[in-house]
Structure formats: C-alpha cells, structure tokens
Coordinates of all heavy atoms in Angstrom, one line a residue:
T412 N 79.2 290.2 44.2 CA 78.2 289.3 44.0 C 76.9 290.1 43.4 O 76.8 291.3 43.7 CB 77.8 288.4 45.3 OG1 76.8 287.5 44.8 CG2 77.1 289.3 46.3
Y413 N 76.1 289.3 42.7 CA 74.8 289.9 42.3 C 73.8 289.4 43.3 O 73.9 288.4 44.0 CB 74.4 289.5 40.9 CG 75.1 290.4 39.9 CD1 76.4 290.4 39.7 CD2 74.3 291.3 39.2 CE1 77.1 291.3 38.8 CE2 74.9 292.2 38.2 CZ 76.3 292.1 38.0 OH 76.9 292.9 37.1
V414 N 72.6 290.2 43.3 CA 71.6 289.8 44.4 C 70.3 289.9 43.8 O 69.9 290.7 43.0 CB 71.8 290.8 45.6 CG1 71.8 292.3 45.3 CG2 70.8 290.5 46.7
V415 N 69.3 289.0 44.2 CA 68.0 289.0 43.7 C 67.1 289.8 44.7 O 67.3 289.5 45.9 CB 67.4 287.5 43.6 CG1 66.0 287.5 43.0 CG2 68.4 286.6 42.8
T416 N 66.3 290.7 44.1 CA 65.4 291.6 45.0 C 64.0 291.3 44.8 O 63.5 290.4 44.2 CB 65.8 293.0 44.7 OG1 65.5 293.3 43.4 CG2 67.4 293.2 44.8
E417 N 63.2 292.2 45.6 CA 61.8 292.1 45.7 C 61.0 291.7 44.4 O 60.1 290.9 44.5 CB 61.2 293.4 46.2 CG 59.8 293.3 46.6 CD 59.5 294.4 47.7 OE1 60.2 295.2 47.9 OE2 58.5 294.1 48.4
A418 N 61.3 292.2 43.3 CA 60.7 292.0 42.1 C 60.5 290.5 41.7 O 59.8 290.2 40.9 CB 61.2 292.9 40.9
C419 N 61.4 289.8 42.3 CA 61.5 288.3 41.9 C 60.3 287.6 42.6 O 60.0 286.4 42.1 CB 62.7 287.7 42.3 SG 63.0 286.0 42.0
I420 N 59.8 288.1 43.6 CA 58.8 287.3 44.4 C 57.6 286.9 43.5 O 57.0 287.8 42.9 CB 58.3 288.2 45.7 CG1 59.5 288.3 46.6 CG2 57.2 287.5 46.4 CD1 59.2 289.3 47.7
K421 N 57.4 285.7 43.5 CA 56.3 285.0 42.7 C 56.5 285.2 41.3 O 55.6 284.9 40.4 CB 55.0 285.6 43.1 CG 54.7 285.3 44.6 CD 53.2 285.4 44.9 CE 52.9 285.0 46.2 NZ 52.0 285.8 47.0
C422 N 57.7 285.6 40.7 CA 58.0 285.5 39.3 C 58.2 284.1 38.9 O 58.7 283.4 39.6 CB 59.3 286.4 39.1 SG 59.9 286.2 37.5
K423 N 57.7 283.8 37.7 CA 57.8 282.4 37.3 C 58.8 282.2 36.1 O 59.0 281.2 35.6 CB 56.4 282.1 36.6 CG 55.2 282.0 37.6 CD 55.2 280.8 38.6 CE 54.0 280.7 39.4 NZ 53.9 281.7 40.5
Y424 N 59.6 283.3 35.9 CA 60.6 283.1 34.8 C 61.9 282.4 35.5 O 62.1 282.7 36.6 CB 60.8 284.5 34.2 CG 59.8 285.1 33.4 CD1 58.9 285.9 33.9 CD2 59.5 284.5 32.0 CE1 57.9 286.5 33.2 CE2 58.5 285.0 31.4 CZ 57.6 286.0 31.9 OH 56.6 286.4 31.1
M425 N 62.6 281.7 34.6 CA 63.7 281.1 35.0 C 64.8 281.5 34.2 O 65.9 280.8 34.1 CB 63.6 279.6 35.1 CG 62.4 279.2 36.2 SD 62.9 279.0 37.8 CE 63.8 277.5 37.9
D426 N 64.8 282.5 33.4 CA 65.7 282.9 32.5 C 67.2 283.0 33.1 O 68.3 282.6 32.5 CB 65.4 284.2 31.8 CG 64.0 284.2 31.1 OD1 63.2 283.6 31.8 OD2 63.8 284.6 29.9
C427 N 67.2 283.5 34.2 CA 68.5 283.7 35.0 C 69.2 282.4 35.3 O 70.4 282.2 35.1 CB 68.2 284.5 36.2 SG 67.0 283.8 37.3
V428 N 68.3 281.5 35.7 CA 69.0 280.2 36.1 C 69.6 279.5 34.9 O 70.6 279.0 34.9 CB 67.9 279.3 36.6 CG1 68.4 277.9 36.8 CG2 67.2 279.8 37.9
E429 N 68.9 279.7 33.7 CA 69.4 279.1 32.5 C 70.8 279.8 32.0 O 71.5 278.9 31.4 CB 68.4 279.1 31.4 CG 67.3 278.1 31.6 CD 66.1 278.4 30.7 OE1 66.3 279.0 29.6 OE2 65.0 278.1 31.1
V430 N 70.9 281.0 32.2 CA 72.2 281.6 31.7 C 73.3 281.5 32.7 O 74.5 281.8 32.3 CB 71.9 283.2 31.3 CG1 71.0 283.2 30.0 CG2 71.5 283.9 32.4
C431 N 73.2 281.3 34.0 CA 74.2 281.5 34.9 C 75.2 280.4 34.6 O 75.0 279.2 34.7 CB 73.7 281.4 36.4 SG 74.9 281.4 37.6
P432 N 76.5 280.8 34.3 CA 77.6 279.7 34.1 C 78.0 278.8 35.2 O 78.6 277.8 35.0 CB 78.7 280.6 33.6 CG 78.4 281.9 34.2 CD 77.1 282.1 34.4
V433 N 77.7 279.3 36.5 CA 78.1 278.4 37.6 C 77.0 278.0 38.5 O 77.1 277.4 39.6 CB 79.1 279.4 38.6 CG1 80.4 279.7 37.9 CG2 78.4 280.5 39.0
D434 N 75.8 278.1 37.9 CA 74.7 277.4 38.5 C 74.4 277.9 40.0 O 74.2 277.0 40.9 CB 74.7 275.8 38.6 CG 74.0 275.3 37.4 OD1 73.1 276.0 36.8 OD2 74.3 274.2 37.1
C435 N 74.5 279.1 40.3 CA 74.4 279.6 41.6 C 73.1 280.1 42.1 O 73.0 280.7 43.2 CB 75.6 280.5 42.0 SG 75.6 282.1 41.1
F436 N 72.1 279.8 41.3 CA 70.8 280.2 41.7 C 70.2 279.2 42.6 O 70.3 278.0 42.3 CB 69.9 280.5 40.6 CG 70.1 281.9 40.0 CD1 71.0 282.1 38.8 CD2 69.4 282.9 40.4 CE1 71.2 283.3 38.4 CE2 69.6 284.2 39.8 CZ 70.6 284.4 38.8
Y437 N 69.4 279.5 43.7 CA 68.8 278.5 44.6 C 67.4 279.0 44.7 O 67.0 280.3 44.6 CB 69.5 278.5 45.9 CG 70.9 277.9 45.8 CD1 71.9 278.6 45.3 CD2 71.1 276.6 46.1 CE1 73.2 278.0 45.1 CE2 72.2 275.9 46.0 CZ 73.4 276.7 45.6 OH 74.6 276.1 45.3
E438 N 66.5 278.2 45.2 CA 65.0 278.5 45.3 C 64.8 278.8 46.7 O 65.0 278.0 47.7 CB 64.1 277.3 44.9 CG 64.1 277.2 43.5 CD 62.9 276.4 42.9 OE1 61.7 276.7 43.4 OE2 63.0 275.4 42.3
G439 N 64.3 280.1 46.9 CA 63.8 280.4 48.3 C 62.3 280.0 48.5 O 61.8 279.2 47.7
D440 N 61.6 280.6 49.4 CA 60.2 280.2 49.6 C 59.4 280.7 48.4 O 58.5 279.9 47.9 CB 59.6 281.0 50.9 CG 59.9 280.1 52.0 OD1 60.3 278.9 52.0 OD2 59.6 280.7 53.2
N441 N 59.5 281.8 47.9 CA 58.7 282.4 46.8 C 59.5 283.2 45.8 O 58.9 283.9 45.0 CB 57.5 283.3 47.5 CG 58.0 284.3 48.3 OD1 59.2 284.5 48.5 ND2 57.2 285.0 49.0
M442 N 60.7 282.9 45.8 CA 61.7 283.7 44.9 C 62.9 282.9 44.7 O 63.2 282.0 45.5 CB 62.0 285.1 45.5 CG 62.8 285.0 46.8 SD 63.1 286.7 47.5 CE 64.4 287.2 46.3
L443 N 63.7 283.3 43.8 CA 65.1 282.7 43.6 C 66.1 283.6 44.3 O 65.8 284.8 44.5 CB 65.4 282.7 42.1 CG 64.5 281.7 41.2 CD1 64.9 281.9 39.8 CD2 64.6 280.3 41.6
V444 N 67.1 283.0 44.6 CA 68.2 283.7 45.2 C 69.6 283.4 44.6 O 69.6 282.3 43.9 CB 68.4 283.4 46.8 CG1 67.1 284.0 47.4 CG2 68.6 282.0 47.1
I445 N 70.7 284.2 44.8 CA 71.9 284.0 44.3 C 72.9 283.6 45.5 O 72.8 284.3 46.5 CB 72.5 285.1 43.5 CG1 71.7 285.3 42.2 CG2 74.0 285.0 43.2 CD1 72.0 286.7 41.5
N446 N 73.6 282.6 45.4 CA 74.6 282.3 46.4 C 75.7 283.1 46.2 O 76.5 283.0 45.3 CB 75.0 280.8 46.3 CG 75.9 280.4 47.4 OD1 76.7 281.2 47.9 ND2 75.9 279.0 47.8
P447 N 75.9 284.1 47.2 CA 77.1 285.0 47.1 C 78.5 284.5 47.1 O 79.4 285.0 46.6 CB 76.8 286.0 48.3 CG 76.1 285.2 49.3 CD 75.2 284.2 48.5
D448 N 78.5 283.2 47.7 CA 79.8 282.6 47.7 C 80.3 281.9 46.4 O 81.3 281.6 46.0 CB 79.9 281.5 48.8 CG 80.0 282.1 50.1 OD1 80.2 283.3 50.2 OD2 79.8 281.3 51.2
E449 N 79.1 281.8 45.6 CA 79.5 280.9 44.2 C 79.3 282.0 43.0 O 79.9 281.6 42.1 CB 78.4 279.9 44.1 CG 78.6 278.8 45.1 CD 77.5 277.7 45.1 OE1 76.5 277.8 44.3 OE2 77.4 276.8 45.9
C450 N 78.6 283.1 43.1 CA 78.5 284.0 42.1 C 79.8 284.6 41.7 O 80.6 285.0 42.6 CB 77.6 285.0 42.6 SG 77.5 286.5 41.3
I451 N 80.1 284.5 40.5 CA 81.5 285.0 40.0 C 81.4 286.4 39.3 O 82.3 286.9 38.7 CB 82.1 284.0 39.0 CG1 81.1 283.8 37.8 CG2 82.5 282.7 39.6 CD1 81.9 283.1 36.6
D452 N 80.1 287.0 39.6 CA 80.0 288.4 39.3 C 80.2 288.6 37.7 O 80.6 289.8 37.3 CB 81.2 289.3 40.0 CG 80.6 290.2 40.9 OD1 79.4 290.4 41.0 OD2 81.5 290.7 41.7
C453 N 79.6 287.7 36.9 CA 79.9 287.9 35.4 C 78.8 288.9 34.9 O 78.9 289.5 33.9 CB 79.7 286.5 34.8 SG 78.1 285.9 34.8
G454 N 77.7 289.0 35.6 CA 76.6 290.0 35.1 C 75.7 289.5 34.1 O 74.9 290.2 33.6
V455 N 75.9 288.2 33.6 CA 75.1 287.8 32.6 C 73.6 287.7 32.8 O 72.6 287.9 32.1 CB 75.6 286.3 32.2 CG1 74.6 285.6 31.2 CG2 76.9 286.4 31.5
C456 N 73.3 287.4 34.1 CA 71.9 287.3 34.5 C 71.1 288.6 34.5 O 69.9 288.6 34.3 CB 71.8 286.6 36.0 SG 72.8 287.4 37.2
E457 N 71.8 289.6 34.9 CA 71.0 290.8 35.1 C 70.2 291.3 34.0 O 69.0 291.6 34.2 CB 72.0 292.0 35.4 CG 71.3 293.3 35.9 CD 72.3 294.4 36.2 OE1 73.5 294.3 35.8 OE2 71.9 295.4 36.6
P458 N 70.7 291.4 32.7 CA 69.8 291.7 31.6 C 68.8 290.8 31.2 O 67.8 290.9 30.5 CB 70.8 292.1 30.5 CG 71.9 291.3 30.8 CD 72.0 291.3 32.2
E459 N 68.9 289.4 31.7 CA 68.0 288.3 31.3 C 66.7 288.4 32.1 O 65.8 287.7 31.8 CB 68.7 287.0 31.5 CG 69.9 286.8 30.5 CD 69.5 286.8 29.1 OE1 68.3 286.3 28.9 OE2 70.2 287.2 28.2
C460 N 66.8 289.0 33.2 CA 65.7 289.0 34.3 C 64.5 289.8 33.7 O 64.7 291.0 33.7 CB 66.1 289.4 35.6 SG 64.8 289.5 36.8
P461 N 63.4 289.3 33.4 CA 62.2 290.0 32.8 C 61.6 291.0 33.9 O 61.0 291.9 33.6 CB 61.3 289.0 32.6 CG 61.8 287.6 32.7 CD 63.0 287.8 33.6
A462 N 61.9 290.7 35.2 CA 61.3 291.4 36.2 C 62.3 292.5 36.7 O 62.0 293.3 37.6 CB 60.9 290.6 37.4
E463 N 63.5 292.5 36.1 CA 64.6 293.5 36.6 C 64.8 293.3 38.1 O 65.0 294.3 38.7 CB 64.3 294.9 36.2 CG 64.2 295.0 34.6 CD 64.1 296.4 34.2 OE1 64.1 297.3 34.9 OE2 63.9 296.6 33.0
A464 N 64.8 292.1 38.6 CA 65.0 291.9 40.0 C 66.4 291.7 40.4 O 66.7 291.7 41.7 CB 64.1 290.6 40.4
I465 N 67.3 291.5 39.4 CA 68.7 291.2 39.8 C 69.6 292.5 39.7 O 69.6 293.1 38.7 CB 69.3 290.1 38.9 CG1 68.4 288.8 38.9 CG2 70.7 289.7 39.3 CD1 68.8 287.8 37.9
L466 N 70.4 292.8 40.8 CA 71.1 294.0 40.8 C 72.5 293.5 41.4 O 72.6 292.6 42.2 CB 70.6 295.0 41.8 CG 69.1 295.5 41.5 CD1 68.5 296.3 42.6 CD2 69.1 296.3 40.2
P467 N 73.6 294.3 41.0 CA 74.8 294.1 41.6 C 74.8 294.6 42.9 O 74.1 295.6 43.4 CB 75.7 295.0 40.7 CG 74.9 296.0 40.1 CD 73.5 295.4 40.0
D468 N 75.6 294.1 43.9 CA 75.5 294.5 45.3 C 76.2 295.8 45.5 O 76.3 296.3 46.7 CB 76.1 293.3 46.3 CG 77.7 293.2 46.0 OD1 78.3 293.9 45.1 OD2 78.3 292.5 46.9
T469 N 76.7 296.4 44.6 CA 77.2 297.8 44.7 C 76.2 298.8 44.8 O 76.5 300.0 45.1 CB 78.2 298.1 43.6 OG1 77.5 297.7 42.4 CG2 79.5 297.3 43.6
E470 N 74.9 298.5 44.4 CA 73.8 299.4 44.5 C 73.5 299.7 46.1 O 73.8 298.8 46.8 CB 72.5 298.8 43.9 CG 72.7 298.5 42.4 CD 72.0 299.4 41.5 OE1 71.0 300.1 41.9 OE2 72.5 299.5 40.3
D471 N 72.9 300.8 46.3 CA 72.6 301.2 47.7 C 71.4 300.4 48.2 O 70.5 300.0 47.3 CB 72.3 302.7 47.8 CG 73.6 303.5 47.6 OD1 74.6 302.9 48.0 OD2 73.6 304.6 47.3
G472 N 71.2 300.3 49.4 CA 70.0 299.8 50.0 C 69.7 298.3 49.9 O 68.6 297.9 50.0
L473 N 70.7 297.5 49.7 CA 70.5 296.1 49.4 C 70.7 295.2 50.6 O 70.6 294.0 50.5 CB 71.2 295.6 48.2 CG 70.8 296.3 46.8 CD1 71.7 295.7 45.7 CD2 69.4 295.9 46.6
A474 N 71.1 295.7 51.6 CA 71.4 294.9 52.8 C 70.4 293.9 53.2 O 70.8 292.6 53.3 CB 71.6 295.8 54.0
K475 N 69.2 294.2 53.2 CA 68.1 293.2 53.5 C 68.1 292.0 52.5 O 67.9 290.9 52.9 CB 66.7 294.0 53.5 CG 65.6 292.9 53.6 CD 64.2 293.6 53.5 CE 63.2 292.6 53.2 NZ 61.8 293.1 52.8
W476 N 68.3 292.5 51.2 CA 68.2 291.4 50.2 C 69.5 290.5 50.1 O 69.3 289.4 49.7 CB 67.9 292.0 48.8 CG 66.5 292.7 48.8 CD1 66.1 293.9 48.9 CD2 65.3 291.9 48.9 NE1 64.7 294.0 49.1 CE2 64.2 292.8 49.1 CE3 65.0 290.5 48.8 CZ2 62.9 292.4 49.1 CZ3 63.6 290.1 48.9 CH2 62.6 291.1 49.0
L477 N 70.5 291.1 50.4 CA 71.7 290.3 50.6 C 71.5 289.2 51.7 O 72.0 288.1 51.5 CB 73.0 291.2 50.9 CG 73.5 292.0 49.7 CD1 74.4 293.0 50.3 CD2 74.3 291.1 48.8
E478 N 70.9 289.7 52.8 CA 70.6 288.7 53.9 C 69.7 287.6 53.3 O 69.9 286.4 53.7 CB 69.9 289.4 55.0 CG 70.8 289.6 56.3 CD 70.0 290.3 57.4 OE1 69.0 289.8 57.8 OE2 70.4 291.4 57.7
V479 N 68.6 288.0 52.7 CA 67.7 286.9 52.1 C 68.3 286.0 51.2 O 68.2 284.7 51.3 CB 66.6 287.8 51.4 CG1 65.7 286.8 50.6 CG2 65.6 288.5 52.4
N480 N 69.3 286.6 50.3 CA 69.9 285.7 49.4 C 70.7 284.7 50.0 O 70.7 283.5 49.7 CB 70.7 286.5 48.3 CG 69.8 287.0 47.2 OD1 70.1 286.8 46.0 ND2 68.7 287.9 47.5
A481 N 71.6 285.2 51.0 CA 72.4 284.3 51.7 C 71.7 283.3 52.6 O 72.1 282.0 52.6 CB 73.4 285.1 52.7
K482 N 70.7 283.7 53.1 CA 69.9 282.8 54.0 C 69.3 281.6 53.1 O 69.4 280.4 53.4 CB 68.7 283.5 54.6 CG 67.9 282.8 55.5 CD 66.9 283.6 56.2 CE 65.6 282.8 56.5 NZ 64.4 283.5 56.2
Y483 N 68.6 282.1 52.1 CA 68.0 280.9 51.3 C 69.0 280.0 50.5 O 68.8 278.9 50.1 CB 67.0 281.5 50.3 CG 65.7 281.9 51.0 CD1 65.1 283.1 50.6 CD2 65.0 281.1 51.8 CE1 63.9 283.5 51.3 CE2 63.8 281.4 52.4 CZ 63.3 282.7 52.1 OH 62.1 283.0 52.7
A484 N 70.2 280.6 50.3 CA 71.2 279.9 49.6 C 71.9 279.0 50.6 O 72.8 278.2 50.3 CB 72.1 280.8 48.9
E485 N 71.5 279.2 51.9 CA 72.1 278.3 52.9 C 73.6 278.6 53.1 O 74.4 277.5 53.3 CB 71.8 276.9 52.8 CG 70.2 276.7 53.0 CD 69.8 275.2 52.9 OE1 70.5 274.4 52.7 OE2 68.5 275.0 53.1
V486 N 74.0 279.8 52.9 CA 75.5 280.1 53.2 C 75.7 280.2 54.7 O 76.8 279.9 55.1 CB 75.7 281.6 52.5 CG1 77.1 282.0 52.9 CG2 75.7 281.5 51.0
W487 N 74.6 280.6 55.4 CA 74.8 280.6 56.9 C 74.5 279.2 57.6 O 73.5 278.6 57.1 CB 73.9 281.6 57.5 CG 74.2 283.0 57.0 CD1 75.2 283.5 56.4 CD2 73.3 284.1 57.0 NE1 75.2 284.8 56.1 CE2 73.9 285.1 56.5 CE3 72.0 284.3 57.5 CZ2 73.4 286.4 56.4 CZ3 71.5 285.6 57.5 CH2 72.1 286.6 56.9
Ligands
LIG579 FE1 75.5 283.7 38.0 FE2 76.8 285.6 36.7 FE3 74.5 286.1 37.7 FE4 76.5 285.6 39.4 S1 76.3 287.3 38.0 S2 74.4 284.9 39.6 S3 77.5 284.0 38.2 S4 74.9 284.8 35.9

C-alpha cells in the first residue's frame, strides 16, 4: 500500500484524490489518508502529490503513518 505522511498536514491540494483509480483516499482531521485495504499499489498518486507526502510502505520509518492512515480510513 501507499501511505500519506506528515507533509500532507494542512495541505490543500487534492491532486492525489483525483487520480486514484479506486477512490481510496479519505479525510482525516487535518490531512488525507489512504485506506490500506483498498489501495491497489498502482503508484499513480505518488508523483501527483505537490507536497511529496505520499510514499510506498516499503520505505523505512513509516510505522506511525501507517497507523494514522489505517485509523482515519476506519480500517480498525
Ligand atoms: Fe490510489 Fe494507486 Fe495511490 Fe493506492 S497507489 S492510493 S490505488 S492512486
């Protein structure tokens, strides 16, 4: 799955939402998140994000953000 990270906080762009083929972005308190159960790992959103906030979950150190994304997407 891809994961939205800190740089998204208070970002006003929605470019990622527009390109996602499966509509798996959800709104958190002050950022967008990706539902890890719905993301098909296509990678289309990553280069579209002006804040470079979207990363593949294969990057290191994303445990906290994976939690935030799952929580706001109401996976739990
Ligand atoms: Fe949507 Fe693809 Fe980004 Fe996953 S990787 S959030 S499916 S655009």
Side-chain angles (χ1 to χ4, degrees):
T412 185
Y413 276 68
V414 56
V415 185
T416 63
E417 187 151 22
C419 180
I420 294 172
K421 297 195 175 141
C422 171
K423 297 281 191 288
Y424 293 98
M425 301 280 278
D426 303 46
C427 54
V428 177
E429 281 165 31
V430 297
C431 179
V433 294
D434 264 340
C435 65
F436 281 91
Y437 291 77
E438 285 198 54
D440 271 351
N441 52 10
M442 64 182 283
L443 295 173
V444 295
I445 291 170
N446 183 327
D448 288 349
E449 294 172 3
C450 174
I451 57 169
D452 250 346
C453 71
V455 168
C456 55
E457 186 183 9
E459 294 298 325
C460 176
E463 297 186 9
I465 303 173
L466 300 171
D468 70 350
T469 48
E470 302 255 336
D471 289 336
L473 293 181
K475 174 190 166 186
W476 293 107
L477 282 164
E478 252 180 60
V479 168
N480 280 242
K482 181 174 150 229
Y483 283 131
E485 295 181 358
V486 173
W487 299 343

